[in-house]
């Protein structure tokens, strides 16, 4: 009987895996050459893997959080990738590309081993399909997403399986608890989130109570689990819980004027409508799944009680962020599978013929597939995190930096890991280091109208360690006082610094919202919804949406008369940029009657025309001037013009710019 169940499990695990990999591998054509990474954090893990393979890894990471630096343990996925490459001779880029989808299906193994002990096969099939094909997990384990997400569910269900065995098997109970703890240690090496300590411990204690264990046994087993999970995690759990509550749930900004976490896509709460779209795109099926989940919780509560904390974590996706849906989805699939099983059982009871009952039983399996595979996965196209043109531009940037120059990059955190990996240069903030002062100082420096003060902010951060200025920063007032102190800082940066202004950053309101707070340049009402796009060239004009720009660049044809009457533009300019920077700028239109409004600019570069729209107050900001490749900056030299991707300026080591 056990062999039969294992064969059945192997068959269905293989079927689900093959279907999942088929949909993911169809995008292999989008990955060519070395540009294979499809996630921000993937660049960090890939960098460490490369260092390990080349025996260049150091305990201190000299590229992150400069000039403070950080010390991280070696990530397990980076170690595995480097060892695989050494042992097999496979190129690391191929491993980065294929490992995420291949490992993402492994959670089906412990999921089946756990469910087969108390639930019908339908439940596993539904759980597996929902787990694999919800958009969050599907996208976060796609080709090139060399990250930790691909094995999180594997470890979660594996530990749940071992803890369940410890409850069922009284003779080997303590052995399974120890195995659970050892597995947890590996899990923490793979994905260090100590709050999982709380989830597993609370689920285990709750399950022991539900299964009516003696109080003495509950205390003994609970204590042993704490020991093997690691009592040193207890303090980290409290810190982690507070972090989750503040940043994920409440999204409080701390001493920052505004919390950047509010703008991170994966931390945006899911509405019920979005949950439907991300799972099956069928509201009826989702309602049935919730009903089925409630039923299986009631009827199999003793078995499922151990997983209740993870169901709760999954429900947090409605308030904490869409990434938590990956925990809820398998349980919704269990609900749907179990509900279909109950319906099938009712129908089978009516049929007296054994063959007829088997036909009904088997015919329901395709129904589970039909209901559980999300058709919206067809709209997801796996592709590299950055375009090939961006990749080539960054390599050109790296090649232009003098050899062996120990320099830093001043940019928004989205590009931190990318810069560290492709440029081999240190960054102040990145996708793992959300240093609040550096985040605020970057934003403030970019919207200042005084480039001398911008340089002073950069120099202050470059030359000072966080330990020397972070001790007394507890309120916004403290932050503003530190900023005022930095604005008077007159020393030159100890290291060469490159300011990188990405054109797409104009669409990130958090940078501007942070920058204008307590900034005397901005006292009116600001508009933070900025626009940047390319026009379509026609025979005698450029189609720029609501208006056409004549090719003589002096006439605008307004297509929307009502919009023209409301005309929100204080100023309309034409700018021409060459490889060496801004070549020409002229004013097309100016409305002196508007005190507050927008700046509209048509920017021509290499025969293409782009539209930039932003608040008129931003016109003299460092952000706008570096965006349009201004050559008249006295504290920053244009180092590389890669418009419309990014522009690079080098901070001048000039005492006259103080």
């Amino acid at each position: 009987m056990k062999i039969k169940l294992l064969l059945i499990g192997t068959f269905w695990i293989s079927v689900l895996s093959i279907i999942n990999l088929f949909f993911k591998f169809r995008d292999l054509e989008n990955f060519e050459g070395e540009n294979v990474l499809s996630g921000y954090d993937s660049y960090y893990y890939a960098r460490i893997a490369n260092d390990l393979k080349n025996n260049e890894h150091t305990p201190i990471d000299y590229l992150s959080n400069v000039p403070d630096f950080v010390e991280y343990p070696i990530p397990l996925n980076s170690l595995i990738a480097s060892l695989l490459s050494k042992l097999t001779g496979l190129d690391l880029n191929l491993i980065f590309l294929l490992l995420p989808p291949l490992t993402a299906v492994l959670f089906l193994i412990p999921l089946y081993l756990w469910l087969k002990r108390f639930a019908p096969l339908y439940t596993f099939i539904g759980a597996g399909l929902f787990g694999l094909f919800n958009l969050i997990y599907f996208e976060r384990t796609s080709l090139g997403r060399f990250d930790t997400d691909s094995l999180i569910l594997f470890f979660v269900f594996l530990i749940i399986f071992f803890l369940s065995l410890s409850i069922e098997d009284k003779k080997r109970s303590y052995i399974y608890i120890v195995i659970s703890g050892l597995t947890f240690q590996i899990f923490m090496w793979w994905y260090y989130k100590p709050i999982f300590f709380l989830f597993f411990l609370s689920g285990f204690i709750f399950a022991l109570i539900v299964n009516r264990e003696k109080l003495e046994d509950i205390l003994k087993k609970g204590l042993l689990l704490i020991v093997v999970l690691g009592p040193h995690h207890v303090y980290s759990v409290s810190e982690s819980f507070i972090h989750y509550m503040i940043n994920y749930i409440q999204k409080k900004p701390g001493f920052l004027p505004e919390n950047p976490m509010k703008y991170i896509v994966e931390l945006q709460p899911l509405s019920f409508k979005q949950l439907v779209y991300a799972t099956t795109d069928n509201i009826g099926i989702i309602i049935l799944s919730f009903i089925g989940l409630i039923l299986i919780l009631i009827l199999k509560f003793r078995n499922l009680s151990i997983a209740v904390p993870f169901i709760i974590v999954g429900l947090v996706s409605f308030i904490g962020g869409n990434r938590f849906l990956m925990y809820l989805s398998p349980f919704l699939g269990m609900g749907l599978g179990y509900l279909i099983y109950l319906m099938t059982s009712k129908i089978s009871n009516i049929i007296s013929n054994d063959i007829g009952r088997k036909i009904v039983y088997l015919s329901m399996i395709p129904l589970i597939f039909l209901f559980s595979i999300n058709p919206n996965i067809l709209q997801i196209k796996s592709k590299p995190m950055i375009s090939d043109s961006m990749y080539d531009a960054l390599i050109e940037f790296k090649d232009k930096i003098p050899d062996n120059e120990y320099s830093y990059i001043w940019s928004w955190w989205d590009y931190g890991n990318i810069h560290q990996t492709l440029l081999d240069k240190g960054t102040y903030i990145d996708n793992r280091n959300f240093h609040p002062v550096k985040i605020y100082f970057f934003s403030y420096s970019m919207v200042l109208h005084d480039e001398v003060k911008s340089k002073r902010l950069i120099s202050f951060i470059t030359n000072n360690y966080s330990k020397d200025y972070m001790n007394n920063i507890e309120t916004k007032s403290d932050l503003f006082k530190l900023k005022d102190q930095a604005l008077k800082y007159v020393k030159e940066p100890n290291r060469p610094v490159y300011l990188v202004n990405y054109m797409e950053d104009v669409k990130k309101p958090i940078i501007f919202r942070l920058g204008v707070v307590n900034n005397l340049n901005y006292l009116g009402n600001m508009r933070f919804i900025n626009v940047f796009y390319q026009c379509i060239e026609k025979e005698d004009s450029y189609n720029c949406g609501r208006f056409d720009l004549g090719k003589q660049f002096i006439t605008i044809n307004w297509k929307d008369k009502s919009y023209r009457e409301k005309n929100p533009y204080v100023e309309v300019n034409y700018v021409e940029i060459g490889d060496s920077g801004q070549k020409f700028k002229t004013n097309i239109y100016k409305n002196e009657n508007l005190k507050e409004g927008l700046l509209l600019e048509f920017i021509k570069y290499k025969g293409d025309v782009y539209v930039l729209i932003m608040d008129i107050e931003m016109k003299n900001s460092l952000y706008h001037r570096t965006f349009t490749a201004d050559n008249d900056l006295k504290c920053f030299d244009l180092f590389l013009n890669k418009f419309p991707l990014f522009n690079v300026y080098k901070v001048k080591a000039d005492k006259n710019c103080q």
Side-chain angles (χ1 to χ4, degrees):
M1 186 64 179
K2 289 184 178 180
I3 295 177
K4 181 181 178 181
L5 286 174
L6 288 176
L7 289 175
I8 291 173
T10 302
F11 172 78
W12 285 111
I13 289 170
S14 301
V15 169
L16 299 183
S17 300
I18 290 170
I19 294 173
N20 185 260
L21 293 174
F22 169 78
F23 282 108
K24 286 180 176 174
F25 282 6
R26 63 194 165 93
D27 293 326
L28 274 171
E29 61 183 12
N30 297 333
F31 297 85
E32 294 181 1
E34 297 181 350
N35 185 21
V36 300
L37 299 173
S38 60
Y40 287 117
D41 288 340
S42 303
Y43 281 88
Y44 166 69
Y45 295 117
R47 172 167 66 89
I48 301 303
N50 272 297
D51 288 346
L52 289 169
K53 182 181 178 182
N54 298 323
N55 299 316
E56 296 174 352
H57 179 72
T58 57
I60 298 176
D61 189 345
Y62 292 100
L63 301 184
S64 181
N65 194 32
V66 298
D68 305 285
F69 311 126
V70 291
E71 185 173 353
Y72 290 127
I74 296 174
L76 182 55
N77 58 341
S78 300
L79 179 62
I80 290 173
S82 65
L83 291 175
L84 276 174
S85 182
K86 286 181 179 180
L87 294 173
T88 65
L90 291 173
D91 182 73
L92 266 178
N93 285 319
L94 182 63
I95 294 173
F96 299 153
L97 180 66
L98 299 182
L99 199 61
L102 289 174
T103 53
V105 301
L106 294 180
F107 82 89
L108 295 173
I109 299 172
L111 177 65
Y112 176 76
L113 293 175
W114 176 49
L115 288 179
K116 77 179 180 65
R117 307 182 72 83
F118 64 89
L121 180 63
Y122 285 2
T123 310
F124 165 72
I125 295 175
L129 290 170
F130 267 65
L132 290 170
F133 290 100
N134 70 85
L135 296 190
I136 304 302
Y137 191 72
F138 188 85
E139 188 171 19
R140 294 176 71 88
T141 58
S142 57
L143 291 165
R145 193 72 179 251
F146 184 60
D147 205 336
T148 53
D149 291 281
S150 63
L151 281 182
I152 291 177
L153 291 182
F154 168 78
F155 281 109
V156 166
F157 284 115
L158 185 61
I159 295 171
I160 286 176
F161 169 63
F162 286 135
L163 289 176
S164 296
L165 288 180
S166 75
I167 295 173
E168 295 174 20
D169 191 338
K170 305 297 183 183
K171 293 182 179 179
R172 301 182 182 87
S173 181
Y174 293 98
I175 295 175
Y176 285 124
I177 292 174
V178 172
I179 294 173
S180 301
L182 295 175
T183 307
F184 180 78
Q185 302 308 319
I186 301 172
F187 182 30
M188 287 298 97
W189 187 7
W190 177 269
Y191 183 64
Y192 186 71
K193 297 294 180 183
I195 198 167
F196 279 93
F197 175 102
L198 179 63
F199 300 155
F200 288 118
L201 179 62
S202 60
F204 182 61
I205 298 297
F206 183 57
L208 289 174
I209 295 172
V210 170
N211 283 271
R212 300 176 182 177
E213 291 268 352
K214 295 178 180 179
L215 179 60
E216 181 182 354
D217 290 336
I218 293 175
L219 293 175
K220 286 181 180 179
K221 293 178 180 180
L223 183 60
L224 177 60
L225 185 61
I226 291 174
V227 171
V228 295
L229 291 180
H232 60 283
H233 289 304
V234 173
Y235 177 74
S236 299
V237 166
S238 60
E239 279 192 326
S240 184
F241 182 77
I242 293 171
H243 170 78
Y244 271 72
M245 289 299 298
I246 292 175
N247 291 296
Y248 287 11
I249 309 300
Q250 299 176 339
K251 295 183 173 60
K252 291 184 177 180
F255 59 73
L256 283 176
E258 189 162 359
N259 189 358
M261 300 296 174
K262 287 167 55 178
Y263 297 87
I264 296 179
V265 174
E266 67 183 42
L267 300 184
Q268 303 310 304
L270 274 180
S271 65
F272 186 76
K273 183 178 179 180
Q274 290 170 326
L275 179 139
V276 171
Y277 178 82
T279 48
T280 65
D281 204 25
N282 187 314
I283 189 171
I285 297 301
I286 292 302
I287 292 173
L288 290 176
S289 299
F290 273 105
I291 293 172
L293 178 57
I294 293 171
L295 286 174
I296 194 173
L297 277 171
I298 294 172
L299 299 175
K300 301 290 183 179
F301 192 63
R302 294 180 67 177
N303 303 99
L304 280 172
S305 56
I306 196 169
V308 166
F310 290 96
I311 298 175
I312 295 172
V313 170
L315 292 171
V316 168
S317 57
F318 290 111
I319 56 174
N322 59 50
R323 67 176 301 173
F324 296 106
L325 181 62
M326 64 186 285
Y327 301 102
L328 179 62
S329 292
F331 294 100
L332 287 177
M334 289 181 201
L336 180 65
Y338 193 70
L339 189 64
I340 291 177
Y341 165 76
L342 293 177
M343 293 168 56
T344 305
S345 297
K346 292 290 184 182
I347 296 172
S348 298
N349 289 336
I350 300 173
I351 302 172
S352 58
N353 188 295
D354 287 342
I355 297 177
R357 283 197 291 268
K358 289 181 180 179
I359 291 174
V360 170
Y361 182 81
L362 293 174
S363 65
M364 287 297 180
I365 292 179
L367 200 63
I368 299 176
F369 276 82
L370 179 65
F371 290 158
S372 302
I373 296 181
N374 187 355
N376 292 318
I377 61 170
L378 297 174
Q379 300 177 28
I380 294 181
K381 298 295 180 184
S382 298
K383 58 183 180 179
M385 184 75 242
I386 59 177
S387 64
D388 289 339
S389 57
M390 178 72 80
Y391 185 91
D392 294 339
L394 286 167
I395 297 302
E396 182 182 343
F397 177 20
K398 179 183 180 181
D399 292 341
K400 194 175 179 186
I401 300 173
D403 291 340
N404 301 319
E405 179 186 79
Y406 188 15
S407 50
Y408 298 149
I409 306 295
W410 187 257
S411 67
W412 189 239
W413 77 49
D414 281 347
Y415 317 99
N417 290 345
I418 297 172
H419 289 156
Q420 294 163 15
T421 303
L422 298 185
L423 304 180
D424 194 29
K425 297 299 175 188
T427 65
Y428 299 90
I429 47 179
D430 56 46
N431 310 81
R432 292 163 296 112
N433 160 47
F434 301 103
H435 193 293
V437 171
K438 295 174 184 178
I439 287 171
Y440 174 66
F441 274 29
F442 171 81
S443 302
Y444 197 91
S445 72
M446 295 303 287
V447 302
L448 274 171
H449 291 190
D450 187 335
E451 57 173 304
V452 174
K453 291 182 178 179
S454 295
K455 179 187 173 183
R456 289 176 180 176
L457 290 176
I458 297 171
S459 301
F460 180 86
I461 293 296
T462 300
N463 297 346
N464 290 281
Y465 297 108
S466 294
K467 63 182 178 62
D468 297 325
Y469 60 77
M470 284 295 292
N471 291 333
N472 300 317
I473 308 298
E474 297 179 355
T475 66
K476 294 184 183 69
S477 178
D478 296 333
L479 178 65
F480 297 152
K481 287 178 183 177
L482 180 66
K483 179 261 300 177
D484 292 338
Q485 176 188 338
L487 290 174
K488 299 174 184 177
Y489 192 79
V490 294
K491 292 184 179 180
E492 296 296 313
N494 290 337
R495 302 286 182 188
V497 179
Y498 295 92
L499 183 156
V500 188
N501 184 352
Y502 283 85
M503 313 294 97
E504 283 297 307
D505 280 355
V506 76
K507 300 175 184 177
K508 296 173 182 174
I510 179 58
I511 297 175
F512 305 101
R513 287 185 181 275
L514 278 175
V516 302
V517 176
N518 200 242
N519 192 324
L520 295 178
N521 295 138
Y522 306 93
L523 299 175
N525 295 320
M526 290 291 298
R527 305 190 189 195
F528 296 106
I529 301 177
N530 306 319
V531 175
F532 178 61
Y533 60 88
Q534 184 176 351
C535 301
I536 300 173
E537 184 175 6
K538 299 195 296 187
E539 185 175 346
D540 57 352
S541 65
Y542 289 90
N543 179 358
C544 300
R546 293 188 173 190
F547 25 68
D548 285 340
L549 178 69
K551 284 202 170 180
Q552 67 274 27
F553 301 116
I554 56 172
T555 60
I556 301 175
N557 175 31
W558 297 75
K559 299 177 183 178
D560 189 334
K561 292 182 179 180
S562 62
Y563 186 72
R564 180 179 183 179
E565 292 173 0
K566 296 176 183 177
N567 188 356
Y569 303 111
V570 178
E571 189 173 321
V572 180
N573 298 320
Y574 165 70
V575 181
E576 190 169 330
I577 297 177
D579 289 333
S580 57
Q582 193 176 118
K583 294 167 56 179
F584 179 74
K585 183 175 183 178
T586 187
N587 177 251
I588 299 176
Y589 168 86
K590 189 171 286 187
N591 185 354
E592 302 289 354
N593 296 323
L594 279 179
K595 294 181 179 180
E596 296 176 351
L598 299 174
L599 169 68
L600 168 62
E601 287 187 329
F602 299 95
I603 304 173
K604 185 179 182 183
Y605 179 70
K606 292 187 176 180
D608 294 320
V609 172
Y610 302 81
V611 169
L612 170 66
I613 301 174
M614 61 193 318
D615 196 286
I616 188 64
E617 295 295 326
M618 287 288 173
K619 177 184 174 183
N620 296 317
S621 67
L622 181 64
Y623 180 87
H624 177 254
R625 295 184 69 183
T626 55
F627 188 106
T628 53
D630 191 343
N631 284 316
D632 294 330
L633 291 163
K634 62 181 181 180
C635 297
F636 301 85
D637 278 330
L638 182 61
F639 183 79
L640 179 65
N641 171 27
K642 298 306 296 182
F643 188 91
L645 300 173
F646 60 83
N647 287 330
V648 182
Y649 282 79
K650 189 172 185 179
V651 179
K652 283 186 180 180
D654 187 350
K655 292 184 179 180
N656 295 320
C657 180
Q658 293 182 348

